[in-house]
Amino acid sequence: MSQRHFLSTLDWSRSELESLLVDAETLKQGRRSGKRHDLAGRTIALVFMNPSLRTRTSFEVGIFEMGGHAVVLEPGKGAWPIEFKDGVVMDGDAEEHVEEVARVLSRYCDLIAVRAFPKFQSWEEDRKDAVIESFARYATVPVLNMETITHPCQELALMLTLRERLGATDAKKFLLTWTYHPRPLNTAVANSALVIAAKFGFDVTLLCPTPEYVLDERYMNAAKGYVAANGRTLTVSHDIESAYAGAHVVYAKSWGALPHFGHWAAEKPIRDAHKHFIVDERKMALTADGGRGFFSHCLPLRRNVKATDAVMRSPTSLVIDEAENRLHVQKALLRRLMGLGPITGAP
Ligand code: CP
């Protein structure tokens, strides 16, 4: 049987993901009670095509805490630039092809984790997720997504955090709100938040300035399928007040409008006209339980652009918990991808 990858949660059932969250809770609880050896003798390649604070740190720390070893590679900066297209004459910057990279790393390492953001020139090209898909095609070990056009590890961290603070997620209201950012950003975390909230039984509202900011149909359709299966709803709204009303969770993210992908000059005036989508105290006051709805964001976040200082520092802000939980969910995930079963007994 071929190895199982973690490229997108679309390929994983809710019960499989919940089983990972249970392991993550156990790992979190037992973190300080002695070193684990789940990854003893295992080496993980962390391939970063883009910068990171949380992802790199949490993976390196998590692998260390389970007795494994991490090798960080930054192609084009300390490792050779890679070609991802097939059949091209490689007379540009790339020094080697992903086929050799993935096959060679598979001989040294037990898993390859990849971060590769879109190139932001053509959504039709970027939505193919060619970098991680080509690693998965050629690797003979599991491949794990550290953020491409989705961010599945962030999804797990978000759901662990909501289980901790909100309890049951079914039939609660999840608001995914677009926020302003001076540059058009990746839709990855928005795609991810949308599908995981729908999969975990929330009533989901997507709040964005105009229909141009609705997400790719692959993720909209997946979310529609999940809410239908759960007997819940998916609502697209451009009205701030009604979207925030009664929300148990407000999840903020900025992203570029797909119809303007690669031609951002036309999108900028639309984005600039919606700076008021910032998450602030007045909007959070409309949320569930008399304004005690939770706020979160994947980080990094530009304060007083995407959310105010007061919202970030509020007791209902989950941003630091969610960032911490990256560590625990990724440890649970790495164990499983290495073929280890659910954790039994004391942490
Ligand atoms: N949330 C997240 O992935 O953070 P980094 O980009 O810092 O890794």
Side-chain angles (χ1 to χ4, degrees), residues 106-119:
S106 298
R107 299 281 179 101
Y108 300 142
C109 302
D110 298 284
L111 183 145
I112 304 170
V114 178
R115 166 166 282 199
F117 293 172
K119 296 205 180 334

Side-chain angles (χ1 to χ4, degrees), residues 12-315:
W12 289 60
S13 71
R14 179 174 175 178
S15 64
E16 288 177 316
L17 298 174
E18 283 176 333
S19 171
L20 289 177
L21 298 183
V22 171
D23 275 3
E25 284 163 351
T26 306
L27 292 166
K28 183 172 185 176
Q29 205 186 342
R31 184 175 176 208
R32 301 296 181 199
S33 63
K35 191 163 171 62
R36 295 188 65 94
H37 303 284
D38 310 65
L39 298 184
R42 310 277 197 161
T43 298
I44 313 291
L46 304 176
V47 181
F48 283 97
M49 315 291 287
N50 309 95
S52 164
L53 185 146
R54 281 144 289 274
T55 303
R56 177 170 175 172
T57 310
S58 57
F59 268 102
E60 284 204 56
V61 169
I63 292 164
F64 168 78
E65 289 185 356
M66 292 200 296
H69 178 68
V71 177
V72 176
L73 296 164
E74 296 174 289
K77 194 176 133 195
W80 301 115
I82 304 170
E83 175 61 59
F84 292 95
K85 290 200 174 83
D86 273 334
V88 294
V89 177
M90 288 176 51
D91 58 359
D93 292 336
E95 290 293 345
E96 58 181 329
H97 195 273
V98 66
E99 182 169 354
E100 284 76 62
V101 175
R103 293 176 65 192
V104 168
L105 288 178
S106 298
R107 299 281 179 101
Y108 300 142
C109 302
D110 298 284
L111 183 145
I112 304 170
V114 178
R115 166 166 282 199
F117 293 172
K119 296 205 180 334
F120 291 105
Q121 285 159 4
S122 158
W123 178 242
E124 284 312 305
E125 280 305 307
D126 283 337
R127 80 189 294 278
K128 295 176 187 165
D129 224 0
V131 171
I132 198 157
E133 290 291 340
S134 52
F135 268 102
R137 183 178 324 126
Y138 296 118
T140 54
V141 296
V143 173
L144 183 158
N145 184 341
M146 298 194 294
E147 191 177 353
T148 59
I149 58 170
T150 62
H151 199 347
C153 293
Q154 196 73 46
E155 295 175 42
L156 293 177
L158 170 61
M159 285 304 127
L160 178 58
T161 311
L162 295 181
R163 277 164 67 101
E164 291 171 340
R165 298 294 291 273
L166 192 61
T169 53
D170 288 283
K172 304 262 172 65
K173 179 172 174 181
F174 184 98
L175 171 62
L176 169 61
T177 177
W178 179 93
T179 60
Y180 174 74
H181 187 284
R183 289 185 294 110
L185 299 182
N186 196 353
T187 53
V189 172
N191 294 333
S192 276
L194 182 84
V195 297
I196 201 68
K199 184 174 268 192
F200 274 67
F202 282 97
D203 283 313
V204 181
T205 299
L206 169 62
L207 172 65
C208 54
T210 68
E212 295 157 290
Y213 289 84
V214 170
L215 297 165
D216 185 271
E217 63 182 4
R218 181 189 297 151
Y219 305 105
M220 294 301 294
N221 288 338
K224 280 179 198 160
Y226 293 141
V227 295
N230 291 329
R232 309 313 318 168
T233 57
L234 172 63
T235 306
V236 175
S237 172
H238 309 302
D239 180 70
I240 291 173
E241 303 236 329
S242 62
Y244 273 76
H248 296 91
V249 182
V250 175
Y251 203 70
K253 188 67 186 76
S254 188
W255 64 87
L258 296 180
H260 298 287
F261 213 85
H263 308 282
W264 298 112
E267 190 236 15
K268 188 165 166 44
I270 312 170
R271 206 155 16 92
D272 287 352
H274 292 87
K275 292 182 180 177
H276 58 287
F277 271 60
I278 185 172
V279 184
D280 57 20
E281 306 85 289
R282 190 186 63 78
K283 296 186 188 77
M284 288 303 294
L286 301 171
T287 62
D289 306 322
R292 286 196 288 275
F294 291 109
F295 166 77
S296 204
H297 184 280
C298 61
L299 303 179
L301 177 142
R302 293 191 185 213
R303 282 198 181 195
N304 303 310
V305 173
K306 289 176 165 180
T308 60
D309 289 327
V311 167
M312 289 293 282
R313 291 187 177 129
S314 152

